[in-house]
Amino acid sequence: MGGFIIVGAGEAGTRAAFALRETGYDRPVTLIGAETHLPYERPPLSKPDIGAIAMKPICSDEALLNARITYLPGAEVAKLDVAGKSLELSDGRSLEYGKLLLATGARPRKLSCPGAGRALDFRTFDDAKVILDRLNASRSVAIIGGGLIGMELAAMLRGKGLIVSVIEAAPKPLSRAVPLRFAAKLHKRHIDEGVNFHLGVGVSEILDNTVLLTNGTEVPADVVVTAIGVQPEIALAEKAGLATGNGILTNLFLQTSDRHIFAAGDCAAVEQPGGGYVRFESWRNARSQAQIAARNMAGANEAFSATPWFWTDQYDLGLQVAGLPQPHHQSVVRALSTGELEFYLDQGTLVAAAGLGIKNSVAKDIKLSEMLIASGISPNPAALADPSVNLKILLKSAKAA
Ligand code: FAD
């Protein structure tokens, strides 16, 4: 019987490989990644303050070696044989596993309009390099998609002095994951920085140097980038007969429909205690699921539960969101010297919090808010709104209660 194999050397896969060693698991660990680089972080690819696309490795060759993790870069798993507990790589090699982790992530959605092939994707380091190389000899860029990635890219490219247009089918940018209040503030900042927005409109064709919109507008663009969301990478699991939906379906313990196979990160749709499955696309989610999946592969029986959390940096502004704010929640706003916090109460209970401020100035308050959410308190809204009431005090009294 083989050791443990991990398919996908992104955030989830790589963290899981190291977490397996932290459990004391001593048999072979193999990490297989289709990309040719050392495992790297994706968030720095779109962060404006770095100036150039940064490659931030998750680990070094030496760390992999010291942890006795066999890393196979540039190797794509083409087939999974669940009954035979084996994998086939696209170069014909086959490997047997005792347990398997699928951490295959997600791939960019594609446009289907005429000329869609002219648009560039933005998911990997290689994608980022192609975009920047093309932009070195260009003046204008059109970004199709006004979500988190599209808006981060817009900020980064305005910083480089390019003419930036954002095309978004929804009436407002950032409407999917960002609370309304902060989506509006970020939108305004982009307008102030000179980004051209085309909202509530689709793309009918991409031509050389122009994007033609469904309302007849012609947007000049030397380079076109699509950032219209991602789809979970489930092809391997699906072909192998594992249960899939909007992701590879897992139970609370991140175990798929085959008990020897686990899934974590952007590809995993995890069963919820109240029914249904939820899939998150965020850096911290990938890391925390990786830890739990690794421990469960090594014999633990831990249910995954974590308050969802993500951040985005645009210009000198940093947004952090903990929990899942919903339109029906009661909103309580607290002004800060460098920004603003918004708390979300569901029938009096604090369930989510978000903050927007200069750089990562809201980080400490959001961390405390996460602890408050986890403690299940129903705080006095006036105390939440009052900047002179330290959140630490609220936490202390929640703990005491
Ligand atoms: P991935 O990172 O996608 O890794 C999956 C890996 O599996 C890929 O390398 C892929 O090539 C490989 N793979 C797939 N199929 C196979 C196969 N058959 N064989 C071998 N290998 C395979 N999140 C935040 O919370 N905040 C941010 O600010 C933020 N910024 C981001 C900026 C960018 C530009 C991008 C693209 C993402 C950002 N994210 C951010 C999201 C975050 O990076 C992802 O949620 C996280 O990387 C998911 O990790 P993962 O390991 O599940 O998937």
Side-chain angles (χ1 to χ4, degrees), residues 308-345:
W309 175 92
F310 73 88
W311 90 100
T312 176
D313 296 335
Q314 297 174 28
Y315 307 103
D316 61 348
L317 295 176
L319 171 80
Q320 295 201 9
V321 182
L324 297 173
Q326 301 294 323
H328 70 270
H329 289 158
Q330 180 191 350
S331 145
V332 178
V333 175
R334 170 185 287 219
L336 303 172
S337 57
T338 58
E340 214 174 49
L341 297 175
E342 188 176 29
F343 299 97
Y344 308 89
L345 307 179

mmCIF file of all heavy atoms in Angstrom, residues 308-345:
data_model
loop_
_atom_site.group_PDB
_atom_site.id
_atom_site.type_symbol
_atom_site.label_atom_id
_atom_site.label_comp_id
_atom_site.label_asym_id
_atom_site.label_seq_id
_atom_site.Cartn_x
_atom_site.Cartn_y
_atom_site.Cartn_z
ATOM 1 N N PRO A 308 -15.903 32.079 8.248
ATOM 2 C CA PRO A 308 -15.284 32.487 6.988
ATOM 3 C C PRO A 308 -14.612 33.853 7.144
ATOM 4 O O PRO A 308 -15.121 34.714 7.884
ATOM 5 C CB PRO A 308 -16.464 32.586 6.016
ATOM 6 C CG PRO A 308 -17.578 31.820 6.653
ATOM 7 C CD PRO A 308 -17.354 31.887 8.131
ATOM 8 N N TRP A 309 -13.498 34.022 6.496
ATOM 9 C CA TRP A 309 -12.747 35.279 6.598
ATOM 10 C C TRP A 309 -11.983 35.508 5.300
ATOM 11 O O TRP A 309 -11.406 34.581 4.739
ATOM 12 C CB TRP A 309 -11.749 35.192 7.753
ATOM 13 C CG TRP A 309 -10.834 36.375 7.906
ATOM 14 C CD1 TRP A 309 -11.056 37.468 8.683
ATOM 15 C CD2 TRP A 309 -9.544 36.575 7.296
ATOM 16 N NE1 TRP A 309 -9.990 38.344 8.586
ATOM 17 C CE2 TRP A 309 -9.042 37.824 7.724
ATOM 18 C CE3 TRP A 309 -8.776 35.835 6.411
ATOM 19 C CZ2 TRP A 309 -7.818 38.342 7.323
ATOM 20 C CZ3 TRP A 309 -7.545 36.348 5.996
ATOM 21 C CH2 TRP A 309 -7.080 37.586 6.461
ATOM 22 N N PHE A 310 -12.017 36.734 4.801
ATOM 23 C CA PHE A 310 -11.142 37.060 3.672
ATOM 24 C C PHE A 310 -10.727 38.520 3.760
ATOM 25 O O PHE A 310 -11.306 39.304 4.514
ATOM 26 C CB PHE A 310 -11.816 36.766 2.316
ATOM 27 C CG PHE A 310 -12.898 37.748 1.937
ATOM 28 C CD1 PHE A 310 -12.587 38.916 1.233
ATOM 29 C CD2 PHE A 310 -14.216 37.522 2.279
ATOM 30 C CE1 PHE A 310 -13.571 39.830 0.872
ATOM 31 C CE2 PHE A 310 -15.213 38.430 1.935
ATOM 32 C CZ PHE A 310 -14.894 39.580 1.240
ATOM 33 N N TRP A 311 -9.708 38.847 2.982
ATOM 34 C CA TRP A 311 -9.293 40.249 2.921
ATOM 35 C C TRP A 311 -9.044 40.624 1.465
ATOM 36 O O TRP A 311 -8.886 39.758 0.600
ATOM 37 C CB TRP A 311 -8.032 40.469 3.745
ATOM 38 C CG TRP A 311 -6.743 40.289 2.993
ATOM 39 C CD1 TRP A 311 -5.953 41.266 2.486
ATOM 40 C CD2 TRP A 311 -6.086 39.059 2.650
ATOM 41 N NE1 TRP A 311 -4.854 40.723 1.855
ATOM 42 C CE2 TRP A 311 -4.915 39.357 1.934
ATOM 43 C CE3 TRP A 311 -6.391 37.705 2.870
ATOM 44 C CZ2 TRP A 311 -4.039 38.395 1.437
ATOM 45 C CZ3 TRP A 311 -5.528 36.737 2.371
ATOM 46 C CH2 TRP A 311 -4.369 37.086 1.671
ATOM 47 N N THR A 312 -9.062 41.913 1.217
ATOM 48 C CA THR A 312 -8.639 42.405 -0.088
ATOM 49 C C THR A 312 -7.918 43.730 0.129
ATOM 50 O O THR A 312 -8.273 44.497 1.038
ATOM 51 C CB THR A 312 -9.831 42.580 -1.061
ATOM 52 O OG1 THR A 312 -9.351 43.160 -2.290
ATOM 53 C CG2 THR A 312 -10.926 43.483 -0.514
ATOM 54 N N ASP A 313 -6.894 43.997 -0.673
ATOM 55 C CA ASP A 313 -6.169 45.269 -0.619
ATOM 56 C C ASP A 313 -6.357 45.975 -1.953
ATOM 57 O O ASP A 313 -6.091 45.381 -3.007
ATOM 58 C CB ASP A 313 -4.661 45.039 -0.405
ATOM 59 C CG ASP A 313 -4.375 44.384 0.930
ATOM 60 O OD1 ASP A 313 -5.196 44.533 1.861
ATOM 61 O OD2 ASP A 313 -3.336 43.710 1.051
ATOM 62 N N GLN A 314 -6.820 47.207 -1.912
ATOM 63 C CA GLN A 314 -6.963 47.998 -3.140
ATOM 64 C C GLN A 314 -6.465 49.409 -2.849
ATOM 65 O O GLN A 314 -6.934 50.046 -1.916
ATOM 66 C CB GLN A 314 -8.432 47.990 -3.593
ATOM 67 C CG GLN A 314 -8.884 46.559 -3.932
ATOM 68 C CD GLN A 314 -10.348 46.403 -4.253
ATOM 69 O OE1 GLN A 314 -10.998 47.314 -4.728
ATOM 70 N NE2 GLN A 314 -10.875 45.217 -3.981
ATOM 71 N N TYR A 315 -5.499 49.889 -3.653
ATOM 72 C CA TYR A 315 -4.779 51.139 -3.362
ATOM 73 C C TYR A 315 -4.191 51.015 -1.960
ATOM 74 O O TYR A 315 -3.624 49.976 -1.644
ATOM 75 C CB TYR A 315 -5.694 52.356 -3.546
ATOM 76 C CG TYR A 315 -6.350 52.352 -4.922
ATOM 77 C CD1 TYR A 315 -7.679 51.978 -5.084
ATOM 78 C CD2 TYR A 315 -5.607 52.682 -6.046
ATOM 79 C CE1 TYR A 315 -8.262 51.936 -6.342
ATOM 80 C CE2 TYR A 315 -6.188 52.643 -7.310
ATOM 81 C CZ TYR A 315 -7.511 52.276 -7.454
ATOM 82 O OH TYR A 315 -8.076 52.227 -8.689
ATOM 83 N N ASP A 316 -4.388 52.053 -1.102
ATOM 84 C CA ASP A 316 -3.841 51.917 0.251
ATOM 85 C C ASP A 316 -4.922 51.443 1.227
ATOM 86 O O ASP A 316 -4.771 51.566 2.434
ATOM 87 C CB ASP A 316 -3.243 53.259 0.717
ATOM 88 C CG ASP A 316 -4.287 54.367 0.764
ATOM 89 O OD1 ASP A 316 -5.404 54.166 0.222
ATOM 90 O OD2 ASP A 316 -4.003 55.434 1.338
ATOM 91 N N LEU A 317 -6.016 50.900 0.692
ATOM 92 C CA LEU A 317 -7.118 50.471 1.565
ATOM 93 C C LEU A 317 -7.100 48.953 1.762
ATOM 94 O O LEU A 317 -6.840 48.202 0.818
ATOM 95 C CB LEU A 317 -8.467 50.862 0.947
ATOM 96 C CG LEU A 317 -8.733 52.359 0.824
ATOM 97 C CD1 LEU A 317 -10.044 52.607 0.102
ATOM 98 C CD2 LEU A 317 -8.762 52.998 2.214
ATOM 99 N N GLY A 318 -7.388 48.541 2.982
ATOM 100 C CA GLY A 318 -7.492 47.119 3.280
ATOM 101 C C GLY A 318 -8.879 46.822 3.819
ATOM 102 O O GLY A 318 -9.368 47.518 4.714
ATOM 103 N N LEU A 319 -9.519 45.808 3.238
ATOM 104 C CA LEU A 319 -10.844 45.374 3.718
ATOM 105 C C LEU A 319 -10.707 43.979 4.289
ATOM 106 O O LEU A 319 -10.029 43.132 3.702
ATOM 107 C CB LEU A 319 -11.837 45.338 2.540
ATOM 108 C CG LEU A 319 -13.199 44.709 2.840
ATOM 109 C CD1 LEU A 319 -14.108 45.692 3.570
ATOM 110 C CD2 LEU A 319 -13.897 44.224 1.569
ATOM 111 N N GLN A 320 -11.345 43.746 5.425
ATOM 112 C CA GLN A 320 -11.407 42.392 5.979
ATOM 113 C C GLN A 320 -12.851 42.086 6.314
ATOM 114 O O GLN A 320 -13.569 42.958 6.836
ATOM 115 C CB GLN A 320 -10.558 42.282 7.240
ATOM 116 C CG GLN A 320 -9.081 42.473 6.983
ATOM 117 C CD GLN A 320 -8.212 41.876 8.078
ATOM 118 O OE1 GLN A 320 -8.681 41.162 8.960
ATOM 119 N NE2 GLN A 320 -6.929 42.165 8.003
ATOM 120 N N VAL A 321 -13.288 40.865 6.022
ATOM 121 C CA VAL A 321 -14.661 40.461 6.312
ATOM 122 C C VAL A 321 -14.623 39.126 7.045
ATOM 123 O O VAL A 321 -14.037 38.159 6.553
ATOM 124 C CB VAL A 321 -15.508 40.331 5.017
ATOM 125 C CG1 VAL A 321 -16.942 39.954 5.352
ATOM 126 C CG2 VAL A 321 -15.470 41.629 4.204
ATOM 127 N N ALA A 322 -15.246 39.075 8.215
ATOM 128 C CA ALA A 322 -15.340 37.827 8.975
ATOM 129 C C ALA A 322 -16.810 37.452 9.080
ATOM 130 O O ALA A 322 -17.643 38.312 9.380
ATOM 131 C CB ALA A 322 -14.753 38.016 10.366
ATOM 132 N N GLY A 323 -17.132 36.194 8.828
ATOM 133 C CA GLY A 323 -18.535 35.769 8.823
ATOM 134 C C GLY A 323 -19.169 36.090 7.482
ATOM 135 O O GLY A 323 -18.490 36.518 6.546
ATOM 136 N N LEU A 324 -20.477 35.886 7.409
ATOM 137 C CA LEU A 324 -21.181 36.091 6.138
ATOM 138 C C LEU A 324 -22.277 37.139 6.314
ATOM 139 O O LEU A 324 -23.416 36.808 6.630
ATOM 140 C CB LEU A 324 -21.811 34.762 5.676
ATOM 141 C CG LEU A 324 -20.838 33.621 5.369
ATOM 142 C CD1 LEU A 324 -21.591 32.321 5.098
ATOM 143 C CD2 LEU A 324 -19.958 33.979 4.182
ATOM 144 N N PRO A 325 -21.955 38.422 6.126
ATOM 145 C CA PRO A 325 -22.974 39.469 6.266
ATOM 146 C C PRO A 325 -24.098 39.262 5.253
ATOM 147 O O PRO A 325 -23.826 38.923 4.100
ATOM 148 C CB PRO A 325 -22.209 40.757 5.947
ATOM 149 C CG PRO A 325 -20.769 40.419 6.069
ATOM 150 C CD PRO A 325 -20.641 38.969 5.736
ATOM 151 N N GLN A 326 -25.336 39.431 5.712
ATOM 152 C CA GLN A 326 -26.499 39.264 4.836
ATOM 153 C C GLN A 326 -27.324 40.553 4.873
ATOM 154 O O GLN A 326 -27.346 41.244 5.891
ATOM 155 C CB GLN A 326 -27.383 38.107 5.329
ATOM 156 C CG GLN A 326 -26.687 36.767 5.394
ATOM 157 C CD GLN A 326 -26.293 36.237 4.027
ATOM 158 O OE1 GLN A 326 -27.028 36.410 3.060
ATOM 159 N NE2 GLN A 326 -25.119 35.625 3.928
ATOM 160 N N PRO A 327 -28.063 40.833 3.778
ATOM 161 C CA PRO A 327 -28.844 42.076 3.746
ATOM 162 C C PRO A 327 -29.849 42.194 4.886
ATOM 163 O O PRO A 327 -30.151 43.298 5.345
ATOM 164 C CB PRO A 327 -29.567 42.006 2.399
ATOM 165 C CG PRO A 327 -28.784 41.027 1.570
ATOM 166 C CD PRO A 327 -28.118 40.083 2.516
ATOM 167 N N HIS A 328 -30.368 41.057 5.411
ATOM 168 C CA HIS A 328 -31.382 41.162 6.466
ATOM 169 C C HIS A 328 -30.777 41.399 7.861
ATOM 170 O O HIS A 328 -31.492 41.647 8.821
ATOM 171 C CB HIS A 328 -32.292 39.921 6.481
ATOM 172 C CG HIS A 328 -31.585 38.676 6.970
ATOM 173 N ND1 HIS A 328 -30.916 37.827 6.126
ATOM 174 C CD2 HIS A 328 -31.427 38.163 8.215
ATOM 175 C CE1 HIS A 328 -30.388 36.833 6.829
ATOM 176 N NE2 HIS A 328 -30.690 37.017 8.108
ATOM 177 N N HIS A 329 -29.451 41.348 7.978
ATOM 178 C CA HIS A 329 -28.831 41.552 9.296
ATOM 179 C C HIS A 329 -28.950 43.016 9.735
ATOM 180 O O HIS A 329 -28.938 43.920 8.900
ATOM 181 C CB HIS A 329 -27.334 41.191 9.259
ATOM 182 C CG HIS A 329 -27.087 39.723 9.126
ATOM 183 N ND1 HIS A 329 -25.912 39.211 8.639
ATOM 184 C CD2 HIS A 329 -27.862 38.647 9.416
ATOM 185 C CE1 HIS A 329 -25.965 37.893 8.628
ATOM 186 N NE2 HIS A 329 -27.145 37.527 9.096
ATOM 187 N N GLN A 330 -29.046 43.205 11.061
ATOM 188 C CA GLN A 330 -28.993 44.574 11.598
ATOM 189 C C GLN A 330 -27.548 45.073 11.477
ATOM 190 O O GLN A 330 -26.612 44.362 11.858
ATOM 191 C CB GLN A 330 -29.429 44.558 13.068
ATOM 192 C CG GLN A 330 -29.406 45.947 13.701
ATOM 193 C CD GLN A 330 -29.577 45.892 15.223
ATOM 194 O OE1 GLN A 330 -29.888 44.845 15.801
ATOM 195 N NE2 GLN A 330 -29.366 47.030 15.865
ATOM 196 N N SER A 331 -27.375 46.276 10.938
ATOM 197 C CA SER A 331 -26.021 46.795 10.752
ATOM 198 C C SER A 331 -25.706 47.826 11.838
ATOM 199 O O SER A 331 -26.523 48.699 12.144
ATOM 200 C CB SER A 331 -25.935 47.435 9.362
ATOM 201 O OG SER A 331 -25.089 48.552 9.377
ATOM 202 N N VAL A 332 -24.521 47.714 12.427
ATOM 203 C CA VAL A 332 -24.070 48.704 13.417
ATOM 204 C C VAL A 332 -22.694 49.195 12.953
ATOM 205 O O VAL A 332 -21.783 48.394 12.763
ATOM 206 C CB VAL A 332 -23.948 48.070 14.824
ATOM 207 C CG1 VAL A 332 -23.439 49.105 15.822
ATOM 208 C CG2 VAL A 332 -25.265 47.478 15.274
ATOM 209 N N VAL A 333 -22.563 50.504 12.772
ATOM 210 C CA VAL A 333 -21.315 51.063 12.233
ATOM 211 C C VAL A 333 -20.517 51.720 13.353
ATOM 212 O O VAL A 333 -21.072 52.417 14.208
ATOM 213 C CB VAL A 333 -21.629 52.084 11.117
ATOM 214 C CG1 VAL A 333 -20.347 52.768 10.635
ATOM 215 C CG2 VAL A 333 -22.334 51.391 9.943
ATOM 216 N N ARG A 334 -19.215 51.475 13.363
ATOM 217 C CA ARG A 334 -18.308 52.132 14.311
ATOM 218 C C ARG A 334 -17.255 52.905 13.508
ATOM 219 O O ARG A 334 -16.564 52.312 12.666
ATOM 220 C CB ARG A 334 -17.636 51.089 15.204
ATOM 221 C CG ARG A 334 -16.505 51.645 16.049
ATOM 222 C CD ARG A 334 -15.779 50.564 16.834
ATOM 223 N NE ARG A 334 -16.572 50.077 17.955
ATOM 224 C CZ ARG A 334 -16.061 49.779 19.163
ATOM 225 N NH1 ARG A 334 -14.774 49.942 19.402
ATOM 226 N NH2 ARG A 334 -16.826 49.313 20.121
ATOM 227 N N ALA A 335 -17.151 54.199 13.770
ATOM 228 C CA ALA A 335 -16.143 55.005 13.063
ATOM 229 C C ALA A 335 -14.783 54.796 13.725
ATOM 230 O O ALA A 335 -14.687 54.674 14.954
ATOM 231 C CB ALA A 335 -16.527 56.475 13.130
ATOM 232 N N LEU A 336 -13.744 54.722 12.918
ATOM 233 C CA LEU A 336 -12.374 54.605 13.429
ATOM 234 C C LEU A 336 -11.568 55.789 12.909
ATOM 235 O O LEU A 336 -11.973 56.409 11.912
ATOM 236 C CB LEU A 336 -11.708 53.317 12.928
ATOM 237 C CG LEU A 336 -12.403 51.996 13.237
ATOM 238 C CD1 LEU A 336 -11.701 50.863 12.503
ATOM 239 C CD2 LEU A 336 -12.409 51.732 14.738
ATOM 240 N N SER A 337 -10.420 56.052 13.511
ATOM 241 C CA SER A 337 -9.631 57.194 13.017
ATOM 242 C C SER A 337 -9.117 56.940 11.599
ATOM 243 O O SER A 337 -8.942 57.863 10.817
ATOM 244 C CB SER A 337 -8.462 57.487 13.961
ATOM 245 O OG SER A 337 -7.685 56.314 14.072
ATOM 246 N N THR A 338 -8.904 55.670 11.251
ATOM 247 C CA THR A 338 -8.354 55.385 9.914
ATOM 248 C C THR A 338 -9.333 54.631 9.029
ATOM 249 O O THR A 338 -8.953 54.102 7.998
ATOM 250 C CB THR A 338 -7.087 54.511 10.026
ATOM 251 O OG1 THR A 338 -7.463 53.318 10.720
ATOM 252 C CG2 THR A 338 -5.971 55.213 10.729
ATOM 253 N N GLY A 339 -10.594 54.539 9.451
ATOM 254 C CA GLY A 339 -11.553 53.790 8.633
ATOM 255 C C GLY A 339 -12.865 53.563 9.366
ATOM 256 O O GLY A 339 -13.314 54.418 10.138
ATOM 257 N N GLU A 340 -13.425 52.381 9.174
ATOM 258 C CA GLU A 340 -14.765 52.117 9.688
ATOM 259 C C GLU A 340 -14.953 50.605 9.866
ATOM 260 O O GLU A 340 -14.440 49.824 9.072
ATOM 261 C CB GLU A 340 -15.748 52.592 8.613
ATOM 262 C CG GLU A 340 -17.019 53.167 9.134
ATOM 263 C CD GLU A 340 -17.846 53.741 7.987
ATOM 264 O OE1 GLU A 340 -18.047 53.051 6.968
ATOM 265 O OE2 GLU A 340 -18.284 54.882 8.128
ATOM 266 N N LEU A 341 -15.720 50.278 10.916
ATOM 267 C CA LEU A 341 -16.111 48.872 11.093
ATOM 268 C C LEU A 341 -17.616 48.783 10.925
ATOM 269 O O LEU A 341 -18.329 49.739 11.236
ATOM 270 C CB LEU A 341 -15.782 48.371 12.501
ATOM 271 C CG LEU A 341 -14.324 48.328 12.948
ATOM 272 C CD1 LEU A 341 -14.271 47.917 14.422
ATOM 273 C CD2 LEU A 341 -13.532 47.334 12.103
ATOM 274 N N GLU A 342 -18.097 47.647 10.438
ATOM 275 C CA GLU A 342 -19.538 47.415 10.424
ATOM 276 C C GLU A 342 -19.789 46.037 11.034
ATOM 277 O O GLU A 342 -19.161 45.048 10.623
ATOM 278 C CB GLU A 342 -20.102 47.479 8.987
ATOM 279 C CG GLU A 342 -21.628 47.431 8.952
ATOM 280 C CD GLU A 342 -22.221 47.585 7.542
ATOM 281 O OE1 GLU A 342 -21.554 47.189 6.566
ATOM 282 O OE2 GLU A 342 -23.358 48.074 7.435
ATOM 283 N N PHE A 343 -20.686 46.000 12.012
ATOM 284 C CA PHE A 343 -21.029 44.734 12.660
ATOM 285 C C PHE A 343 -22.408 44.301 12.166
ATOM 286 O O PHE A 343 -23.247 45.145 11.855
ATOM 287 C CB PHE A 343 -21.072 44.901 14.187
ATOM 288 C CG PHE A 343 -19.755 45.338 14.766
ATOM 289 C CD1 PHE A 343 -19.511 46.681 15.031
ATOM 290 C CD2 PHE A 343 -18.754 44.417 15.039
ATOM 291 C CE1 PHE A 343 -18.292 47.098 15.549
ATOM 292 C CE2 PHE A 343 -17.533 44.827 15.555
ATOM 293 C CZ PHE A 343 -17.304 46.166 15.813
ATOM 294 N N TYR A 344 -22.624 43.006 12.131
ATOM 295 C CA TYR A 344 -23.898 42.470 11.618
ATOM 296 C C TYR A 344 -24.512 41.567 12.685
ATOM 297 O O TYR A 344 -23.881 40.598 13.143
ATOM 298 C CB TYR A 344 -23.655 41.692 10.320
ATOM 299 C CG TYR A 344 -22.871 42.523 9.321
ATOM 300 C CD1 TYR A 344 -21.474 42.479 9.325
ATOM 301 C CD2 TYR A 344 -23.507 43.373 8.432
ATOM 302 C CE1 TYR A 344 -20.732 43.276 8.445
ATOM 303 C CE2 TYR A 344 -22.778 44.170 7.553
ATOM 304 C CZ TYR A 344 -21.395 44.113 7.571
ATOM 305 O OH TYR A 344 -20.667 44.899 6.717
ATOM 306 N N LEU A 345 -25.732 41.920 13.077
ATOM 307 C CA LEU A 345 -26.423 41.170 14.119
ATOM 308 C C LEU A 345 -27.609 40.435 13.499
ATOM 309 O O LEU A 345 -28.345 41.010 12.690
ATOM 310 C CB LEU A 345 -26.938 42.105 15.217
ATOM 311 C CG LEU A 345 -25.920 43.055 15.861
ATOM 312 C CD1 LEU A 345 -26.591 43.929 16.917
ATOM 313 C CD2 LEU A 345 -24.791 42.273 16.507
#
